[in-house]
Short mmCIF file of all heavy atoms in Angstrom, two decimals:
data_model
loop_
_atom_site.label_atom_id
_atom_site.label_comp_id
_atom_site.label_asym_id
_atom_site.label_seq_id
_atom_site.Cartn_x
_atom_site.Cartn_y
_atom_site.Cartn_z
N SER A 268 4.19 1.42 16.37
CA SER A 268 5.29 1.80 15.48
C SER A 268 4.80 2.68 14.34
O SER A 268 5.43 3.69 14.01
CB SER A 268 5.95 0.54 14.92
OG SER A 268 6.96 0.87 13.98
N MET A 269 3.66 2.32 13.76
CA MET A 269 3.12 3.11 12.66
C MET A 269 2.78 4.53 13.10
O MET A 269 3.08 5.51 12.42
CB MET A 269 1.88 2.44 12.09
CG MET A 269 1.33 3.12 10.84
SD MET A 269 -0.42 2.76 10.56
CE MET A 269 -1.19 3.83 11.76
N ILE A 270 2.15 4.68 14.26
CA ILE A 270 1.77 5.99 14.77
C ILE A 270 3.01 6.86 14.98
O ILE A 270 3.06 8.02 14.58
CB ILE A 270 0.97 5.86 16.08
CG1 ILE A 270 -0.39 5.23 15.80
CG2 ILE A 270 0.80 7.22 16.75
CD1 ILE A 270 -1.13 4.79 17.07
N ASN A 271 4.03 6.29 15.61
CA ASN A 271 5.24 7.06 15.88
C ASN A 271 5.92 7.53 14.59
O ASN A 271 6.38 8.68 14.50
CB ASN A 271 6.22 6.23 16.71
CG ASN A 271 5.88 6.23 18.19
OD1 ASN A 271 5.46 7.25 18.75
ND2 ASN A 271 6.06 5.09 18.83
N LYS A 272 5.99 6.66 13.60
CA LYS A 272 6.64 7.05 12.33
C LYS A 272 5.84 8.11 11.59
O LYS A 272 6.39 9.10 11.07
CB LYS A 272 6.83 5.82 11.45
CG LYS A 272 7.87 4.85 11.98
CD LYS A 272 7.96 3.60 11.11
CE LYS A 272 8.97 2.61 11.66
NZ LYS A 272 9.02 1.36 10.86
N MET A 273 4.50 7.94 11.52
CA MET A 273 3.69 8.90 10.79
C MET A 273 3.57 10.23 11.54
O MET A 273 3.30 11.27 10.92
CB MET A 273 2.31 8.30 10.49
CG MET A 273 2.37 7.13 9.53
SD MET A 273 0.75 6.49 9.04
CE MET A 273 0.15 7.82 8.00
N ALA A 274 3.77 10.22 12.84
CA ALA A 274 3.69 11.45 13.62
C ALA A 274 4.79 12.44 13.28
O ALA A 274 4.67 13.64 13.55
CB ALA A 274 3.74 11.13 15.12
N VAL A 275 5.88 11.96 12.67
CA VAL A 275 6.98 12.86 12.30
C VAL A 275 7.13 12.93 10.78
O VAL A 275 8.17 13.35 10.27
CB VAL A 275 8.30 12.42 12.95
CG1 VAL A 275 8.21 12.55 14.47
CG2 VAL A 275 8.67 10.98 12.58
N SER A 276 6.09 12.53 10.05
CA SER A 276 6.12 12.61 8.59
C SER A 276 6.17 14.08 8.15
O SER A 276 5.64 14.96 8.81
CB SER A 276 4.85 11.96 8.02
OG SER A 276 4.71 12.24 6.63
N PRO A 277 6.80 14.36 7.01
CA PRO A 277 6.78 15.73 6.48
C PRO A 277 5.42 16.14 5.93
O PRO A 277 5.21 17.31 5.62
CB PRO A 277 7.84 15.69 5.36
CG PRO A 277 7.92 14.26 4.96
CD PRO A 277 7.65 13.47 6.21
N LEU A 278 4.49 15.19 5.81
CA LEU A 278 3.16 15.47 5.29
C LEU A 278 2.18 15.73 6.43
O LEU A 278 2.05 14.91 7.34
CB LEU A 278 2.64 14.31 4.44
CG LEU A 278 3.49 13.91 3.22
CD1 LEU A 278 2.87 12.71 2.52
CD2 LEU A 278 3.66 15.07 2.26
N MET A 279 1.48 16.86 6.38
CA MET A 279 0.49 17.18 7.39
C MET A 279 -0.59 16.12 7.46
O MET A 279 -1.07 15.75 8.55
CB MET A 279 -0.13 18.55 7.10
CG MET A 279 -1.02 19.09 8.21
SD MET A 279 -1.71 20.73 7.80
CE MET A 279 -0.21 21.70 7.71
N GLU A 280 -0.98 15.57 6.31
CA GLU A 280 -2.01 14.54 6.27
C GLU A 280 -1.61 13.34 7.12
O GLU A 280 -2.41 12.80 7.90
CB GLU A 280 -2.24 14.09 4.83
CG GLU A 280 -3.27 12.97 4.71
CD GLU A 280 -3.30 12.33 3.33
OE1 GLU A 280 -2.39 12.59 2.51
OE2 GLU A 280 -4.26 11.56 3.07
N SER A 281 -0.36 12.91 7.00
CA SER A 281 0.09 11.74 7.74
C SER A 281 0.16 12.02 9.23
O SER A 281 -0.15 11.14 10.04
CB SER A 281 1.46 11.30 7.21
OG SER A 281 1.35 10.83 5.88
N ARG A 282 0.54 13.22 9.59
CA ARG A 282 0.59 13.57 11.02
C ARG A 282 -0.82 13.58 11.61
O ARG A 282 -1.05 13.13 12.73
CB ARG A 282 1.28 14.91 11.22
CG ARG A 282 2.73 14.92 10.75
CD ARG A 282 3.52 16.10 11.27
NE ARG A 282 3.01 17.39 10.83
CZ ARG A 282 3.33 18.01 9.70
NH1 ARG A 282 4.17 17.42 8.85
NH2 ARG A 282 2.85 19.20 9.40
N TRP A 283 -1.77 14.10 10.85
CA TRP A 283 -3.17 14.05 11.28
C TRP A 283 -3.63 12.60 11.47
O TRP A 283 -4.27 12.27 12.46
CB TRP A 283 -4.06 14.73 10.24
CG TRP A 283 -4.26 16.19 10.44
CD1 TRP A 283 -4.19 16.89 11.62
CD2 TRP A 283 -4.61 17.13 9.43
NE1 TRP A 283 -4.46 18.21 11.39
CE2 TRP A 283 -4.72 18.40 10.07
CE3 TRP A 283 -4.83 17.05 8.06
CZ2 TRP A 283 -5.05 19.55 9.36
CZ3 TRP A 283 -5.16 18.20 7.37
CH2 TRP A 283 -5.26 19.44 8.01
N LEU A 284 -3.31 11.77 10.48
CA LEU A 284 -3.72 10.38 10.55
C LEU A 284 -3.13 9.69 11.78
O LEU A 284 -3.80 8.87 12.43
CB LEU A 284 -3.31 9.63 9.29
CG LEU A 284 -4.22 9.82 8.07
CD1 LEU A 284 -3.54 9.30 6.81
CD2 LEU A 284 -5.55 9.11 8.28
N ALA A 285 -1.87 10.00 12.10
CA ALA A 285 -1.26 9.41 13.28
C ALA A 285 -2.06 9.75 14.53
O ALA A 285 -2.33 8.89 15.38
CB ALA A 285 0.19 9.90 13.43
N ALA A 286 -2.47 11.01 14.64
CA ALA A 286 -3.25 11.44 15.81
C ALA A 286 -4.62 10.77 15.83
O ALA A 286 -5.11 10.35 16.89
CB ALA A 286 -3.41 12.96 15.79
N GLU A 287 -5.24 10.65 14.66
CA GLU A 287 -6.58 10.07 14.60
C GLU A 287 -6.56 8.57 14.89
O GLU A 287 -7.42 8.05 15.60
CB GLU A 287 -7.19 10.34 13.23
CG GLU A 287 -7.50 11.82 13.00
CD GLU A 287 -7.75 12.13 11.54
OE1 GLU A 287 -8.34 11.28 10.86
OE2 GLU A 287 -7.34 13.21 11.08
N VAL A 288 -5.57 7.87 14.34
CA VAL A 288 -5.46 6.44 14.61
C VAL A 288 -5.21 6.22 16.10
O VAL A 288 -5.81 5.33 16.72
CB VAL A 288 -4.34 5.80 13.76
CG1 VAL A 288 -4.06 4.37 14.22
CG2 VAL A 288 -4.73 5.80 12.27
N LYS A 289 -4.33 7.03 16.69
CA LYS A 289 -4.06 6.89 18.13
C LYS A 289 -5.34 7.07 18.94
O LYS A 289 -5.64 6.29 19.86
CB LYS A 289 -3.02 7.93 18.56
CG LYS A 289 -2.77 8.01 20.07
CD LYS A 289 -2.21 6.71 20.64
CE LYS A 289 -1.64 6.88 22.04
NZ LYS A 289 -2.63 7.26 23.04
N ARG A 290 -6.13 8.08 18.59
CA ARG A 290 -7.37 8.33 19.31
C ARG A 290 -8.31 7.13 19.22
O ARG A 290 -8.88 6.69 20.23
CB ARG A 290 -8.06 9.58 18.75
CG ARG A 290 -9.48 9.77 19.26
CD ARG A 290 -10.28 10.66 18.30
NE ARG A 290 -11.70 10.58 18.64
CZ ARG A 290 -12.30 11.37 19.52
NH1 ARG A 290 -11.62 12.29 20.17
NH2 ARG A 290 -13.59 11.23 19.77
N GLU A 291 -8.49 6.59 18.02
CA GLU A 291 -9.45 5.51 17.83
C GLU A 291 -8.96 4.21 18.44
O GLU A 291 -9.74 3.45 19.02
CB GLU A 291 -9.75 5.32 16.33
CG GLU A 291 -10.26 6.57 15.63
CD GLU A 291 -11.47 7.19 16.29
OE1 GLU A 291 -12.27 6.46 16.92
OE2 GLU A 291 -11.62 8.43 16.21
N VAL A 292 -7.68 3.92 18.34
CA VAL A 292 -7.14 2.70 18.92
C VAL A 292 -7.20 2.76 20.45
O VAL A 292 -7.38 1.74 21.12
CB VAL A 292 -5.70 2.46 18.42
CG1 VAL A 292 -5.03 1.33 19.17
CG2 VAL A 292 -5.71 2.15 16.92
N ASP A 293 -7.07 3.97 21.00
CA ASP A 293 -7.22 4.14 22.45
C ASP A 293 -8.58 3.65 22.94
O ASP A 293 -8.74 3.28 24.11
CB ASP A 293 -7.06 5.62 22.83
CG ASP A 293 -5.60 5.98 23.10
OD1 ASP A 293 -4.79 5.07 23.31
OD2 ASP A 293 -5.28 7.19 23.08
N GLY A 294 -9.57 3.67 22.06
CA GLY A 294 -10.90 3.21 22.43
C GLY A 294 -11.04 1.71 22.44
O GLY A 294 -12.07 1.19 22.87
N VAL A 295 -10.03 0.99 21.96
CA VAL A 295 -10.12 -0.47 21.85
C VAL A 295 -9.01 -1.17 22.62
O VAL A 295 -9.26 -2.09 23.40
CB VAL A 295 -10.08 -0.90 20.36
CG1 VAL A 295 -10.27 -2.40 20.23
CG2 VAL A 295 -11.15 -0.17 19.55
N ILE A 296 -7.75 -0.76 22.41
CA ILE A 296 -6.61 -1.39 23.11
C ILE A 296 -5.72 -0.30 23.72
O ILE A 296 -4.54 -0.19 23.38
CB ILE A 296 -5.79 -2.32 22.18
CG1 ILE A 296 -5.37 -1.59 20.89
CG2 ILE A 296 -6.55 -3.59 21.87
CD1 ILE A 296 -4.33 -2.37 20.07
N PRO A 297 -6.26 0.54 24.60
CA PRO A 297 -5.49 1.68 25.11
C PRO A 297 -4.18 1.29 25.79
O PRO A 297 -3.18 2.00 25.66
CB PRO A 297 -6.45 2.35 26.08
CG PRO A 297 -7.43 1.28 26.47
CD PRO A 297 -7.58 0.44 25.24
N SER A 298 -4.18 0.18 26.51
CA SER A 298 -2.97 -0.19 27.26
C SER A 298 -1.82 -0.55 26.34
O SER A 298 -0.65 -0.38 26.69
CB SER A 298 -3.29 -1.36 28.19
OG SER A 298 -3.72 -2.49 27.43
N LEU A 299 -2.13 -1.05 25.14
CA LEU A 299 -1.08 -1.52 24.23
C LEU A 299 -0.45 -0.41 23.41
O LEU A 299 0.55 -0.63 22.74
CB LEU A 299 -1.63 -2.61 23.31
CG LEU A 299 -2.14 -3.86 24.02
CD1 LEU A 299 -2.58 -4.90 23.01
CD2 LEU A 299 -1.08 -4.45 24.94
N VAL A 300 -1.04 0.78 23.44
CA VAL A 300 -0.44 1.92 22.73
C VAL A 300 -0.16 3.07 23.70
O VAL A 300 0.06 4.20 23.28
CB VAL A 300 -1.34 2.40 21.56
CG1 VAL A 300 -1.39 1.36 20.47
CG2 VAL A 300 -2.74 2.73 22.04
N SER A 301 -0.16 2.78 24.99
CA SER A 301 0.03 3.85 25.99
C SER A 301 1.41 4.48 25.90
O SER A 301 1.59 5.64 26.28
CB SER A 301 -0.21 3.28 27.39
OG SER A 301 0.70 2.22 27.67
N ARG A 302 2.39 3.74 25.38
CA ARG A 302 3.75 4.28 25.34
C ARG A 302 3.93 5.36 24.28
O ARG A 302 4.92 6.09 24.31
CB ARG A 302 4.75 3.15 25.09
CG ARG A 302 4.83 2.16 26.24
CD ARG A 302 5.93 1.15 26.03
NE ARG A 302 5.80 0.43 24.78
CZ ARG A 302 6.65 -0.52 24.37
NH1 ARG A 302 7.68 -0.84 25.13
NH2 ARG A 302 6.47 -1.14 23.22
N VAL A 303 2.99 5.47 23.33
CA VAL A 303 3.11 6.50 22.30
C VAL A 303 3.19 7.89 22.93
O VAL A 303 3.99 8.74 22.53
CB VAL A 303 1.92 6.44 21.31
CG1 VAL A 303 1.92 7.65 20.38
CG2 VAL A 303 1.98 5.16 20.49
N GLY A 304 2.35 8.13 23.93
CA GLY A 304 2.33 9.43 24.57
C GLY A 304 3.29 9.57 25.72
O GLY A 304 3.35 10.63 26.37
N ASP A 305 4.06 8.54 26.00
CA ASP A 305 5.03 8.57 27.10
C ASP A 305 6.35 9.12 26.58
O ASP A 305 6.95 8.57 25.66
CB ASP A 305 5.20 7.16 27.66
CG ASP A 305 5.98 7.13 28.96
OD1 ASP A 305 6.94 7.91 29.10
OD2 ASP A 305 5.62 6.32 29.84
N GLU A 306 6.83 10.18 27.21
CA GLU A 306 8.06 10.83 26.76
C GLU A 306 9.25 9.87 26.79
O GLU A 306 10.16 9.96 25.95
CB GLU A 306 8.36 12.04 27.64
CG GLU A 306 9.57 12.85 27.23
CD GLU A 306 9.48 13.42 25.83
OE1 GLU A 306 8.33 13.64 25.34
OE2 GLU A 306 10.53 13.63 25.20
N ARG A 307 9.26 8.90 27.70
CA ARG A 307 10.38 7.98 27.82
C ARG A 307 10.45 7.01 26.65
O ARG A 307 11.53 6.45 26.37
CB ARG A 307 10.28 7.17 29.12
CG ARG A 307 10.38 8.00 30.39
CD ARG A 307 10.03 7.13 31.58
NE ARG A 307 8.66 6.63 31.50
CZ ARG A 307 8.16 5.67 32.30
NH1 ARG A 307 8.94 5.09 33.21
NH2 ARG A 307 6.90 5.28 32.17
N TYR A 308 9.33 6.78 25.98
CA TYR A 308 9.28 5.78 24.92
C TYR A 308 8.95 6.44 23.57
O TYR A 308 9.82 6.62 22.73
CB TYR A 308 8.25 4.70 25.26
CG TYR A 308 8.56 3.99 26.55
CD1 TYR A 308 7.87 4.29 27.72
CD2 TYR A 308 9.56 3.02 26.61
CE1 TYR A 308 8.15 3.63 28.92
CE2 TYR A 308 9.84 2.35 27.79
CZ TYR A 308 9.14 2.67 28.95
OH TYR A 308 9.43 2.02 30.12
N GLY A 309 7.67 6.78 23.37
CA GLY A 309 7.28 7.37 22.09
C GLY A 309 8.00 8.66 21.80
O GLY A 309 8.47 8.89 20.67
N GLY A 310 8.09 9.55 22.78
CA GLY A 310 8.75 10.84 22.56
C GLY A 310 10.20 10.68 22.17
O GLY A 310 10.69 11.32 21.23
N ARG A 311 10.91 9.81 22.88
CA ARG A 311 12.33 9.59 22.58
C ARG A 311 12.51 8.96 21.20
O ARG A 311 13.44 9.32 20.45
CB ARG A 311 12.92 8.69 23.67
CG ARG A 311 14.43 8.54 23.59
CD ARG A 311 14.92 7.62 24.70
NE ARG A 311 14.59 8.18 26.02
CZ ARG A 311 14.76 7.51 27.15
NH1 ARG A 311 15.21 6.25 27.12
NH2 ARG A 311 14.46 8.07 28.31
N PHE A 312 11.64 8.01 20.85
CA PHE A 312 11.75 7.36 19.55
C PHE A 312 11.50 8.36 18.42
O PHE A 312 12.23 8.38 17.42
CB PHE A 312 10.74 6.21 19.47
CG PHE A 312 10.74 5.49 18.15
CD1 PHE A 312 11.92 5.03 17.57
CD2 PHE A 312 9.56 5.24 17.47
CE1 PHE A 312 11.93 4.35 16.37
CE2 PHE A 312 9.54 4.57 16.25
CZ PHE A 312 10.73 4.13 15.70
N ARG A 313 10.50 9.22 18.58
CA ARG A 313 10.20 10.20 17.52
C ARG A 313 11.35 11.20 17.37
O ARG A 313 11.68 11.60 16.25
CB ARG A 313 8.87 10.90 17.81
CG ARG A 313 7.67 9.97 17.68
CD ARG A 313 6.36 10.73 17.69
NE ARG A 313 6.07 11.35 18.97
CZ ARG A 313 5.46 10.75 19.98
NH1 ARG A 313 5.11 9.46 19.87
NH2 ARG A 313 5.21 11.39 21.10
N ARG A 314 11.98 11.60 18.46
CA ARG A 314 13.13 12.51 18.36
C ARG A 314 14.27 11.84 17.61
O ARG A 314 14.94 12.47 16.79
CB ARG A 314 13.60 12.94 19.75
CG ARG A 314 12.75 14.03 20.38
CD ARG A 314 13.48 14.70 21.52
NE ARG A 314 13.90 13.75 22.55
CZ ARG A 314 13.11 13.31 23.53
NH1 ARG A 314 11.86 13.75 23.61
NH2 ARG A 314 13.56 12.45 24.43
N TYR A 315 14.49 10.55 17.88
CA TYR A 315 15.51 9.82 17.15
C TYR A 315 15.24 9.83 15.65
O TYR A 315 16.13 10.08 14.83
CB TYR A 315 15.59 8.37 17.65
CG TYR A 315 16.11 7.40 16.62
CD1 TYR A 315 17.44 7.43 16.19
CD2 TYR A 315 15.24 6.47 16.02
CE1 TYR A 315 17.89 6.55 15.21
CE2 TYR A 315 15.69 5.61 15.05
CZ TYR A 315 17.02 5.64 14.64
OH TYR A 315 17.47 4.79 13.66
N LEU A 316 13.97 9.58 15.26
CA LEU A 316 13.63 9.55 13.83
C LEU A 316 13.90 10.90 13.18
O LEU A 316 14.45 10.97 12.06
CB LEU A 316 12.15 9.18 13.66
CG LEU A 316 11.75 7.75 14.04
CD1 LEU A 316 10.24 7.58 13.93
CD2 LEU A 316 12.46 6.73 13.15
N VAL A 317 13.54 11.98 13.86
CA VAL A 317 13.73 13.33 13.30
C VAL A 317 15.22 13.67 13.19
O VAL A 317 15.69 14.13 12.15
CB VAL A 317 13.00 14.37 14.17
CG1 VAL A 317 13.38 15.79 13.73
CG2 VAL A 317 11.50 14.19 14.09
N GLU A 318 15.97 13.41 14.25
CA GLU A 318 17.39 13.77 14.26
C GLU A 318 18.18 12.90 13.27
O GLU A 318 19.08 13.40 12.57
CB GLU A 318 17.95 13.62 15.67
CG GLU A 318 17.38 14.65 16.64
CD GLU A 318 17.68 14.30 18.10
OE1 GLU A 318 18.48 13.36 18.32
OE2 GLU A 318 17.12 14.96 18.99
N SER A 319 17.84 11.62 13.19
CA SER A 319 18.50 10.73 12.24
C SER A 319 18.26 11.18 10.81
O SER A 319 19.19 11.23 9.99
CB SER A 319 17.98 9.30 12.44
OG SER A 319 18.45 8.45 11.41
N ASP A 320 17.02 11.53 10.50
CA ASP A 320 16.69 11.97 9.14
C ASP A 320 17.44 13.26 8.80
O ASP A 320 17.99 13.40 7.70
CB ASP A 320 15.18 12.18 9.01
CG ASP A 320 14.78 12.61 7.62
OD1 ASP A 320 14.90 11.79 6.68
OD2 ASP A 320 14.35 13.77 7.44
#
Side-chain angles (χ1 to χ4, degrees):
S268 176
M269 186 203 77
I270 292 168
N271 279 322
K272 290 176 182 177
M273 294 185 71
V275 295
S276 169
L278 302 178
M279 189 179 296
E280 178 191 12
S281 294
R282 298 195 298 273
W283 270 334
L284 280 167
E287 292 165 36
V288 170
K289 173 63 166 63
R290 169 202 167 88
E291 303 306 330
V292 171
D293 272 342
V295 184
I296 52 169
S298 60
L299 298 184
V300 292
S301 60
R302 294 187 303 180
V303 171
D305 191 322
E306 183 60 26
R307 296 170 298 169
Y308 301 102
R311 188 180 300 172
F312 179 50
R313 291 192 293 274
R314 281 197 304 276
Y315 153 69
L316 292 175
V317 171
E318 292 166 10
S319 171
D320 181 68

